Amino acid sequence: GAVVSQHPSWVICKSGTSVKIECRSLDFQATTMFWYRQFPKQSLMLMATSNEGSKATYEQGVEKDKFLINHASLTLSTLTVTSAHPEDSSFYICSARPSDRDTEAFFGQGTRLTVV
Amino acid sequence: SQKIEQNSEALNIQEGKTATLTCNYTNYSPAYLQWYRQDPGRGPVFLLLIRENEKEKRKERLKVTFDTTLKQSLFHITASQPADSATYLCALSRGGGGNKLTFGTGTQLKVEL
């Protein structure tokens, strides 16, 4: 099956610093990737849709200047949490879908971000 | 507003029994309904997809039904095993460009010996 790799698996950073999370589709090309956020015992909340070669589409209430998304190639999207604060601590998950399919999504293993 | 609800309580069943999980939605007309499994600290893993014009789908010990009139999907795991213990998420999509998924709240299943 299709494999999506997310890096790092976990990161601890200080308040005010920025953190970059990478999402790679290893064996397929993905025109679209998605970034989710998940708080403990809650479901996945879509933050933004990342489109290769164009600007990301952010969900209502998500600050685009705080969560910078870059989809530079058909196999890589990055999410940068800028000026991180403790309330940004969460589990961030990316997903990708092969460009020739519009059905199931394949997810990365997630990144646990802790801001201290 | 759109709402997707799953069994809010955790579901505990005995090994060998059939687990049935429920997904109800309102204010939504999905083209697809999908079920995912999520283990603690991991990303979701795709299990099954059922389209709006399908009533039932099966894959090994898994069965999904989809009733667009009731706006409900049922997810069954037959001959359940302790290894089936996880959180199960339903997700809806209208399909088409982008195919954005909206996830339900998830149901935690525990299969006991």
Side-chain angles (χ1 to χ4, degrees), chain A residues 27-56:
Chain A
D27 51 1
F28 65 97
Q29 293 184 331
T31 309
T32 307
M33 292 187 178
F34 302 88
W35 287 95
Y36 294 84
R37 184 174 178 172
Q38 187 177 34
F39 290 106
K41 297 196 183 297
Q42 293 189 24
S43 192
L44 282 74
M45 297 300 296
L46 180 66
M47 298 174 65
T49 302
S50 170
N51 304 297
E52 187 266 338
S54 64
K55 289 183 180 179

Tab-separated table of all heavy atoms in Angstrom, chain A residues 27-56:
chain	number	residue	atom	x	y	z
A	27	ASP	N	6.021	6.373	-2.027
A	27	ASP	CA	5.931	5.554	-3.233
A	27	ASP	C	4.815	5.995	-4.163
A	27	ASP	O	4.350	5.228	-5.011
A	27	ASP	CB	5.765	4.075	-2.857
A	27	ASP	CG	4.644	3.855	-1.855
A	27	ASP	OD1	3.983	4.852	-1.475
A	27	ASP	OD2	4.424	2.705	-1.447
A	28	PHE	N	4.371	7.233	-4.001
A	28	PHE	CA	3.377	7.753	-4.927
A	28	PHE	C	3.463	9.276	-4.940
A	28	PHE	O	4.052	9.883	-4.053
A	28	PHE	CB	1.964	7.302	-4.531
A	28	PHE	CG	1.479	7.843	-3.203
A	28	PHE	CD1	0.678	8.975	-3.142
A	28	PHE	CD2	1.814	7.215	-2.007
A	28	PHE	CE1	0.227	9.473	-1.919
A	28	PHE	CE2	1.373	7.696	-0.786
A	28	PHE	CZ	0.572	8.836	-0.749
A	29	GLN	N	2.852	9.856	-5.932
A	29	GLN	CA	2.810	11.308	-6.024
A	29	GLN	C	1.474	11.808	-5.507
A	29	GLN	O	0.440	11.193	-5.750
A	29	GLN	CB	2.998	11.755	-7.477
A	29	GLN	CG	4.388	11.437	-8.000
A	29	GLN	CD	4.603	11.980	-9.405
A	29	GLN	OE1	3.660	12.102	-10.176
A	29	GLN	NE2	5.841	12.320	-9.725
A	30	ALA	N	1.531	12.910	-4.788
A	30	ALA	CA	0.327	13.445	-4.157
A	30	ALA	C	0.158	14.911	-4.514
A	30	ALA	O	0.932	15.745	-4.056
A	30	ALA	CB	0.397	13.278	-2.647
A	31	THR	N	-0.842	15.201	-5.314
A	31	THR	CA	-1.127	16.596	-5.656
A	31	THR	C	-1.632	17.341	-4.422
A	31	THR	O	-1.390	18.531	-4.263
A	31	THR	CB	-2.202	16.654	-6.754
A	31	THR	OG1	-1.833	15.801	-7.819
A	31	THR	CG2	-2.382	18.069	-7.249
A	32	THR	N	-2.329	16.603	-3.571
A	32	THR	CA	-2.944	17.216	-2.396
A	32	THR	C	-2.518	16.475	-1.139
A	32	THR	O	-2.515	15.246	-1.114
A	32	THR	CB	-4.478	17.160	-2.508
A	32	THR	OG1	-4.882	17.725	-3.755
A	32	THR	CG2	-5.134	17.927	-1.374
A	33	MET	N	-2.155	17.229	-0.139
A	33	MET	CA	-1.880	16.663	1.186
A	33	MET	C	-2.701	17.449	2.206
A	33	MET	O	-3.076	18.595	1.949
A	33	MET	CB	-0.393	16.731	1.519
A	33	MET	CG	0.474	15.816	0.662
A	33	MET	SD	2.191	15.802	1.241
A	33	MET	CE	2.924	14.628	0.127
A	34	PHE	N	-2.975	16.815	3.316
A	34	PHE	CA	-3.821	17.426	4.336
A	34	PHE	C	-3.089	17.430	5.668
A	34	PHE	O	-2.375	16.484	6.000
A	34	PHE	CB	-5.130	16.636	4.493
A	34	PHE	CG	-5.932	16.516	3.226
A	34	PHE	CD1	-5.706	15.471	2.347
A	34	PHE	CD2	-6.904	17.447	2.917
A	34	PHE	CE1	-6.439	15.355	1.182
A	34	PHE	CE2	-7.645	17.341	1.751
A	34	PHE	CZ	-7.406	16.298	0.882
A	35	TRP	N	-3.311	18.484	6.434
A	35	TRP	CA	-2.719	18.576	7.770
A	35	TRP	C	-3.836	18.618	8.808
A	35	TRP	O	-4.778	19.413	8.701
A	35	TRP	CB	-1.841	19.820	7.887
A	35	TRP	CG	-0.557	19.671	7.133
A	35	TRP	CD1	-0.286	20.092	5.870
A	35	TRP	CD2	0.631	19.025	7.597
A	35	TRP	NE1	0.997	19.757	5.518
A	35	TRP	CE2	1.584	19.100	6.564
A	35	TRP	CE3	0.996	18.406	8.792
A	35	TRP	CZ2	2.871	18.572	6.684
A	35	TRP	CZ3	2.277	17.875	8.911
A	35	TRP	CH2	3.197	17.962	7.861
A	36	TYR	N	-3.697	17.735	9.806
A	36	TYR	CA	-4.689	17.631	10.866
A	36	TYR	C	-4.010	17.887	12.209
A	36	TYR	O	-2.802	17.717	12.382
A	36	TYR	CB	-5.303	16.226	10.910
A	36	TYR	CG	-6.134	15.842	9.720
A	36	TYR	CD1	-5.523	15.322	8.575
A	36	TYR	CD2	-7.515	15.979	9.729
A	36	TYR	CE1	-6.280	14.956	7.475
A	36	TYR	CE2	-8.276	15.609	8.631
A	36	TYR	CZ	-7.646	15.094	7.511
A	36	TYR	OH	-8.397	14.739	6.421
A	37	ARG	N	-4.867	18.205	13.155
A	37	ARG	CA	-4.427	18.389	14.532
A	37	ARG	C	-5.350	17.552	15.405
A	37	ARG	O	-6.560	17.490	15.137
A	37	ARG	CB	-4.548	19.863	14.880
A	37	ARG	CG	-4.049	20.257	16.221
A	37	ARG	CD	-4.109	21.768	16.311
A	37	ARG	NE	-3.672	22.229	17.604
A	37	ARG	CZ	-3.475	23.479	17.933
A	37	ARG	NH1	-3.693	24.432	17.053
A	37	ARG	NH2	-3.077	23.801	19.131
A	38	GLN	N	-4.789	16.890	16.409
A	38	GLN	CA	-5.597	16.045	17.269
A	38	GLN	C	-5.214	16.260	18.719
A	38	GLN	O	-4.056	16.047	19.100
A	38	GLN	CB	-5.426	14.564	16.883
A	38	GLN	CG	-6.367	13.631	17.619
A	38	GLN	CD	-6.220	12.187	17.149
A	38	GLN	OE1	-5.136	11.746	16.796
A	38	GLN	NE2	-7.327	11.449	17.131
A	39	PHE	N	-6.201	16.657	19.526
A	39	PHE	CA	-5.981	16.787	20.963
A	39	PHE	C	-6.352	15.467	21.628
A	39	PHE	O	-7.101	14.668	21.043
A	39	PHE	CB	-6.811	17.942	21.523
A	39	PHE	CG	-6.301	19.291	21.077
A	39	PHE	CD1	-6.984	20.021	20.120
A	39	PHE	CD2	-5.134	19.814	21.601
A	39	PHE	CE1	-6.520	21.259	19.691
A	39	PHE	CE2	-4.661	21.043	21.182
A	39	PHE	CZ	-5.350	21.765	20.217
A	40	PRO	N	-5.828	15.219	22.840
A	40	PRO	CA	-6.075	13.938	23.513
A	40	PRO	C	-7.553	13.576	23.562
A	40	PRO	O	-8.396	14.413	23.891
A	40	PRO	CB	-5.509	14.168	24.915
A	40	PRO	CG	-4.449	15.195	24.714
A	40	PRO	CD	-4.963	16.099	23.630
A	41	LYS	N	-7.839	12.354	23.191
A	41	LYS	CA	-9.183	11.781	23.224
A	41	LYS	C	-10.176	12.553	22.336
A	41	LYS	O	-11.389	12.484	22.556
A	41	LYS	CB	-9.709	11.702	24.659
A	41	LYS	CG	-8.865	10.788	25.541
A	41	LYS	CD	-9.589	10.414	26.800
A	41	LYS	CE	-8.711	9.564	27.705
A	41	LYS	NZ	-8.338	8.278	27.093
A	42	GLN	N	-9.674	13.265	21.374
A	42	GLN	CA	-10.546	13.959	20.431
A	42	GLN	C	-10.234	13.487	19.014
A	42	GLN	O	-9.244	12.814	18.770
A	42	GLN	CB	-10.364	15.468	20.540
A	42	GLN	CG	-10.833	16.042	21.865
A	42	GLN	CD	-10.849	17.550	21.859
A	42	GLN	OE1	-10.945	18.181	20.813
A	42	GLN	NE2	-10.748	18.135	23.036
A	43	SER	N	-11.118	13.842	18.116
A	43	SER	CA	-10.928	13.393	16.742
A	43	SER	C	-9.981	14.310	15.990
A	43	SER	O	-9.522	15.321	16.512
A	43	SER	CB	-12.279	13.329	16.037
A	43	SER	OG	-12.134	12.644	14.799
A	44	LEU	N	-9.701	13.934	14.763
A	44	LEU	CA	-8.815	14.742	13.929
A	44	LEU	C	-9.562	15.965	13.422
A	44	LEU	O	-10.680	15.851	12.924
A	44	LEU	CB	-8.343	13.934	12.710
A	44	LEU	CG	-7.246	12.915	12.933
A	44	LEU	CD1	-7.764	11.699	13.655
A	44	LEU	CD2	-6.636	12.509	11.601
A	45	MET	N	-8.917	17.107	13.531
A	45	MET	CA	-9.497	18.336	13.011
A	45	MET	C	-8.631	18.817	11.857
A	45	MET	O	-7.437	19.038	12.020
A	45	MET	CB	-9.552	19.411	14.105
A	45	MET	CG	-10.434	19.061	15.269
A	45	MET	SD	-12.160	18.797	14.780
A	45	MET	CE	-12.599	20.430	14.200
A	46	LEU	N	-9.247	18.973	10.700
A	46	LEU	CA	-8.505	19.418	9.541
A	46	LEU	C	-8.072	20.868	9.729
A	46	LEU	O	-8.880	21.730	10.078
A	46	LEU	CB	-9.379	19.288	8.284
A	46	LEU	CG	-8.732	19.719	6.972
A	46	LEU	CD1	-7.566	18.793	6.617
A	46	LEU	CD2	-9.761	19.712	5.843
A	47	MET	N	-6.777	21.096	9.500
A	47	MET	CA	-6.254	22.453	9.613
A	47	MET	C	-6.197	23.118	8.237
A	47	MET	O	-6.579	24.269	8.068
A	47	MET	CB	-4.843	22.434	10.203
A	47	MET	CG	-4.751	21.876	11.595
A	47	MET	SD	-3.051	21.744	12.142
A	47	MET	CE	-2.562	23.449	12.195
A	48	ALA	N	-5.658	22.361	7.275
A	48	ALA	CA	-5.446	22.968	5.965
A	48	ALA	C	-5.250	21.898	4.910
A	48	ALA	O	-4.859	20.766	5.207
A	48	ALA	CB	-4.229	23.897	5.995
A	49	THR	N	-5.515	22.278	3.694
A	49	THR	CA	-5.284	21.432	2.527
A	49	THR	C	-4.104	22.023	1.764
A	49	THR	O	-4.125	23.202	1.400
A	49	THR	CB	-6.529	21.396	1.629
A	49	THR	OG1	-7.641	20.924	2.399
A	49	THR	CG2	-6.312	20.496	0.428
A	50	SER	N	-3.113	21.201	1.546
A	50	SER	CA	-1.875	21.636	0.918
A	50	SER	C	-1.887	21.224	-0.548
A	50	SER	O	-2.056	20.056	-0.865
A	50	SER	CB	-0.704	20.959	1.652
A	50	SER	OG	0.503	21.134	0.979
A	51	ASN	N	-1.752	22.185	-1.436
A	51	ASN	CA	-1.801	21.920	-2.869
A	51	ASN	C	-0.441	22.158	-3.505
A	51	ASN	O	0.148	23.225	-3.341
A	51	ASN	CB	-2.832	22.834	-3.532
A	51	ASN	CG	-4.205	22.690	-2.899
A	51	ASN	OD1	-4.811	21.631	-2.942
A	51	ASN	ND2	-4.689	23.759	-2.291
A	52	GLU	N	0.039	21.182	-4.227
A	52	GLU	CA	1.353	21.276	-4.855
A	52	GLU	C	1.400	22.445	-5.826
A	52	GLU	O	0.536	22.569	-6.701
A	52	GLU	CB	1.697	19.964	-5.576
A	52	GLU	CG	3.108	19.902	-6.108
A	52	GLU	CD	3.212	20.349	-7.557
A	52	GLU	OE1	2.194	20.300	-8.266
A	52	GLU	OE2	4.314	20.743	-7.965
A	53	GLY	N	2.380	23.308	-5.620
A	53	GLY	CA	2.572	24.429	-6.523
A	53	GLY	C	1.653	25.617	-6.318
A	53	GLY	O	1.710	26.581	-7.082
A	54	SER	N	0.812	25.565	-5.304
A	54	SER	CA	-0.066	26.714	-5.050
A	54	SER	C	-0.252	26.892	-3.547
A	54	SER	O	0.254	26.118	-2.748
A	54	SER	CB	-1.413	26.537	-5.743
A	54	SER	OG	-2.103	25.433	-5.212
A	55	LYS	N	-0.998	27.922	-3.202
A	55	LYS	CA	-1.172	28.220	-1.772
A	55	LYS	C	-2.084	27.198	-1.109
A	55	LYS	O	-3.013	26.670	-1.724
A	55	LYS	CB	-1.783	29.611	-1.609
A	55	LYS	CG	-0.834	30.743	-1.954
A	55	LYS	CD	-1.495	32.073	-1.695
A	55	LYS	CE	-0.542	33.224	-2.044
A	55	LYS	NZ	-1.163	34.542	-1.830
A	56	ALA	N	-1.818	26.991	0.172
A	56	ALA	CA	-2.655	26.076	0.938
A	56	ALA	C	-4.007	26.714	1.220
A	56	ALA	O	-4.145	27.940	1.268
A	56	ALA	CB	-1.959	25.712	2.241
